[in-house]
């Protein structure tokens, strides 16, 4: 049994609705479908959810939103007409408008985009509509009541073919609550986990996760298979992949997650798994390359530091006191470097340095700014001799000066700090040297 989630770009208009129907009809195991609100049809178009939030803002400040609401209504009516649906939403739209005049929460109003989208898709597929408010249950602190939600969906779905609106659930007092933006991904993952799906298919407008940023590398290849650990590493270092909260429910149940492209349904996309036993296969040892700018490195040197218990703890406590998170800690015998966000540390830098001088009494403190972090991530690294040396050699040959090196003991990633001016070049060098030759 497969659970599918379709994003806003997959539901933008009747033409996209038809693609979704074709995908669902092609596999009888695709029995549970989660949908987002319709997204943009073209570059300067508006997402339905954005228009609903705009209505909420107008209501808050006492400004008429009649024209915006009419645009929203028209979008759905166009899909109904062009898909030859018999569903009539006039009464529900009228009731929603009346409720907007009398006061409606922003969350409930924003949730109607997914609600109406699911109503239309259910009829189009010949599936039953299942309101997310019947099973996605929040606690009063805003977290998901996972046990109650799973049990409620098992009872509500019970072997049926259903379409579920994403993005929202219900509070214990009955009020509608939305997730953060992109929350339909969370709904899909929760549904897949609750129903113990064999596969969770997340359909979007790209053919899986790319091995590098396409704004930096020309036509990067998609990642065919990736582990959840690798995905977390890529996401942490800056890759634009699924948010961790959208992955946890399926990872917890060891359910494969398949990222697919609605506009290229025959492409296998990216399969995300807990473990992949292909370490000895030929090919690139790099799964993906990612990075981001905006770091500073605080380096503290003190003779005998390694023999003074608690020195690093003191340093970390000072940074924690100022709410500065340490991203990486490359170190030597009597020297430790702390890689931190420049934005986070800038306003309190001199205060932090003063406290470090007082508490640690180092021989020297230095700060290096304008540092970018680049990471090569791959589960196969642990099975290849001299990976680090090859990476450093290629960067050096291409004029990229390495300012920092750090690597985990399992060799899941190799991280280098470079000057921001060399950031894009470093990513291109790694991709062209270690990936392109294997995929071309």
């Amino acid at each position: 049994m497969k659970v599918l989630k379709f994003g806003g770009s997959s539901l933008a208009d009747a033409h996209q609705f038809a693609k979704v129907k074709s995908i669902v009809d092609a596999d009888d195991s695709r029995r549970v479908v989660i949908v987002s609100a319709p997204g943009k049809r073209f570059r300067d178009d508006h997402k339905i959810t954005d228009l609903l939030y705009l209505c909420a803002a107008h209501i808050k400040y006492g400004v008429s939103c009649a024209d915006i609401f009419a645009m929203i209504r028209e979008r759905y009516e166009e899909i109904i007409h062009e898909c030859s649906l018999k569903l009539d939403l006039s009464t529900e739209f009228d009731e929603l408008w009346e409720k907007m005049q009398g006061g409606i929460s922003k969350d409930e109003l924003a949730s109607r985009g997914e609600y109406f989208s699911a109503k239309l898709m259910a009829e189009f597929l010949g599936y039953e509509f299942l309101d997310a408010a019947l099973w996605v249950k929040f606690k009063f602190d805003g977290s998901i009541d996972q046990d109650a939600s799973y049990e409620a969906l098992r009872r509500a779905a019970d072997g049926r073919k259903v379409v579920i609106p994403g993005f929202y659930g219900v509070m214990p007092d009955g009020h509608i609550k939305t997730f953060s933006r992109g929350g339909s991904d969370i709904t899909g993952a929760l549904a897949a986990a609750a129903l113990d799906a064999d596969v969770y298919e997340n359909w979007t407008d790209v053919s899986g996760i790319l091995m590098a940023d396409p704004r930096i590398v020309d036509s990067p290849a998609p990642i065919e298979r990736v582990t959840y650990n690798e995905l977390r590493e890529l996401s942490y270092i800056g890759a634009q992949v699924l948010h961790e909260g959208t992955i946890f429910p399926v990872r917890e149940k060891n359910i494969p997650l398949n990222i697919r492209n609605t506009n290229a349904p025959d492409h296998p996309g990216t399969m995300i798994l807990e473990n992949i036993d292909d370490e000895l296969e030929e090919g690139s040892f790099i799964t993906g390359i990612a990075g981001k700018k905006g770091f500073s490195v605080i380096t503290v040197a003190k003779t005998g530091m390694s023999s003074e218990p608690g020195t690093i703890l003191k340093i970390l406590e000072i940074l924690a006191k100022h709410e500065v998170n340490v991203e990486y800690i490359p170190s030597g015998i009597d020297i430790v470097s702390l890689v931190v966000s420049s934005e986070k540390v800038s306003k309190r830098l001199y205060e932090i340095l003063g406290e470090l001088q007082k508490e640690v009494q180092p021989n020297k403190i230095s700060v290096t700014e304008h540092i970018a972090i680049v990471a090569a991530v791959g589960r196969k690294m642990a099975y290849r001799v001299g990976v680090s040396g090859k990476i450093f050699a290629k960067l050096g040959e291409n004029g990229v000066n390495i300012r920092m090196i750090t690597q985990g003991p399992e060799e899941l990633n190799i991280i280098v700090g470079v000057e921001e001016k060399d950031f894009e070049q470093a990513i291109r060098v790694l991709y062209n040297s270690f990936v392109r030759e294997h995929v071309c």
Side-chain angles (χ1 to χ4, degrees):
M1 192 273 289
K2 296 177 181 177
V3 171
L4 292 73
K5 177 266 175 181
F6 289 92
S9 62
S10 302
L11 302 155
D13 54 25
H15 182 60
Q16 293 299 101
F17 262 62
K19 291 180 183 179
V20 171
K21 180 173 172 57
S22 178
I23 288 167
V24 175
D25 289 347
D27 187 342
D28 190 57
S29 66
R30 291 170 172 153
R31 304 178 62 84
V32 177
V33 178
I34 289 84
V35 296
S36 298
K40 290 184 177 183
R41 296 162 292 184
F42 44 85
R43 182 175 180 179
D44 295 326
D45 196 19
H46 300 284
K47 298 178 181 179
I48 288 294
T49 301
D50 290 342
L51 294 176
L52 288 166
Y53 276 125
L54 191 57
C55 283
H58 278 56
I59 292 170
K60 179 179 179 179
Y61 293 104
V63 179
S64 173
C65 62
D67 291 344
I68 303 170
F69 189 76
M71 290 171 59
I72 296 169
R73 189 168 185 161
E74 184 179 352
R75 285 281 296 276
Y76 288 103
E77 289 173 348
E78 283 180 0
I79 294 172
I80 290 172
H81 173 71
E82 293 177 20
C83 289
S84 301
L85 301 179
K86 297 179 180 179
L87 183 66
D88 184 0
L89 293 178
S90 298
T91 300
E92 288 203 68
F93 270 112
D94 290 341
E95 291 174 351
L96 177 59
W97 179 250
E98 289 299 318
K99 197 167 187 179
M100 290 164 65
Q101 309 316 301
I104 186 173
S105 73
K106 182 171 71 172
D107 277 17
E108 182 176 356
L109 181 55
S111 74
R112 297 305 86 182
E114 277 73 13
Y115 174 85
F116 289 125
S117 183
K119 284 260 186 172
L120 269 58
M121 185 56 71
E123 183 186 330
F124 197 40
L125 295 176
Y127 283 24
E128 295 181 65
F129 169 78
L130 175 58
D131 195 347
L134 295 176
W135 70 272
V136 179
K137 300 182 181 297
F138 287 92
K139 299 177 183 178
F140 278 116
D141 64 2
S143 64
I144 288 290
D145 188 336
Q146 192 166 289
D147 291 339
S149 297
Y150 286 6
E151 178 60 29
L153 181 59
R154 292 186 192 108
R155 289 197 308 267
D158 194 24
R160 298 185 295 157
K161 292 184 174 182
V162 296
V163 177
I164 301 170
F167 188 44
Y168 70 91
V170 66
M171 293 291 285
D173 61 4
H175 285 89
I176 295 292
K177 176 176 172 56
T178 60
F179 292 103
S180 58
R181 295 301 293 264
S184 293
D185 287 327
I186 301 176
T187 308
L190 288 170
L195 300 173
D196 293 312
D198 295 295
V199 178
Y200 168 40
E201 295 181 346
N202 190 305
W203 292 82
T204 179
D205 56 2
V206 293
S207 297
I209 301 167
L210 299 177
M211 294 187 74
D213 189 336
R215 295 169 298 182
I216 299 174
V217 172
D218 184 35
S219 301
I223 301 172
E224 294 181 5
R225 297 188 297 169
V226 62
T227 65
Y228 282 108
N229 280 335
E230 290 173 295
L231 191 69
R232 176 171 166 75
E233 292 285 346
L234 288 167
S235 176
Y236 185 76
I237 198 61
Q240 298 299 308
V241 295
L242 293 172
H243 187 275
E244 185 176 355
T246 70
I247 295 173
F248 178 76
V250 286
R251 180 176 187 179
E252 188 179 40
K253 289 289 193 79
N254 197 22
I255 296 171
L257 195 170
N258 195 189
I259 309 296
R260 304 285 293 273
N261 187 348
T262 305
N263 302 314
D266 293 331
H267 194 287
T270 298
M271 185 67 81
I272 307 168
L273 304 157
E274 185 62 36
N275 295 293
I276 300 175
D277 296 324
D278 66 353
E279 286 82 0
L280 300 180
E281 289 183 5
E282 291 300 318
S284 173
F285 52 80
I286 292 177
T287 299
I289 300 164
K292 54 186 175 181
K293 300 179 181 179
F295 292 98
S296 296
V297 181
I298 301 173
T299 301
V300 181
K302 182 181 181 181
T303 302
M305 182 189 295
S306 59
S307 60
E308 291 185 12
T311 301
I312 293 179
L313 178 60
K314 289 180 183 178
I315 295 171
L316 294 176
E317 286 178 339
I318 290 170
L319 289 165
K321 171 186 171 183
H322 292 280
E323 300 181 343
V324 175
N325 185 49
V326 178
E327 306 286 343
Y328 305 102
I329 312 178
S331 60
I333 296 175
D334 290 328
I335 189 168
V336 61
S337 294
L338 306 117
V339 182
V340 297
S341 165
S342 298
E343 181 182 5
K344 292 284 187 182
V345 80
S346 60
K347 294 180 181 179
R348 302 178 178 180
L349 179 59
Y350 293 110
E351 190 175 350
I352 290 171
L353 295 180
E355 291 186 28
L356 288 173
Q357 186 68 51
K358 178 182 178 182
E359 295 295 328
V360 181
Q361 296 182 356
N363 301 115
K364 181 181 179 182
I365 299 179
S366 62
V367 179
T368 305
E369 298 179 315
H370 307 298
I371 294 295
I373 300 298
V374 176
V377 176
R379 61 191 172 277
K380 300 179 185 179
M381 290 182 179
Y383 296 86
R384 303 293 180 93
V385 177
V387 169
S388 299
K390 293 176 183 177
I391 288 176
F392 303 151
K394 284 294 183 181
L395 291 173
E397 290 171 11
N398 288 273
V400 177
N401 184 30
I402 300 174
R403 302 297 303 271
M404 181 202 80
I405 300 166
T406 185
Q407 181 177 359
E410 296 181 353
E411 290 201 28
L412 184 63
N413 62 26
I414 296 173
I415 298 165
V416 296
V418 301
E419 295 176 14
E420 287 187 347
K421 66 181 180 62
D422 292 328
F423 175 66
E424 289 83 3
Q425 172 71 350
I427 289 179
R428 282 191 288 267
V429 167
L430 292 179
Y431 186 85
N432 293 332
S433 300
F434 300 106
V435 178
R436 194 177 296 280
E437 63 184 56
H438 293 287
V439 298
C440 292

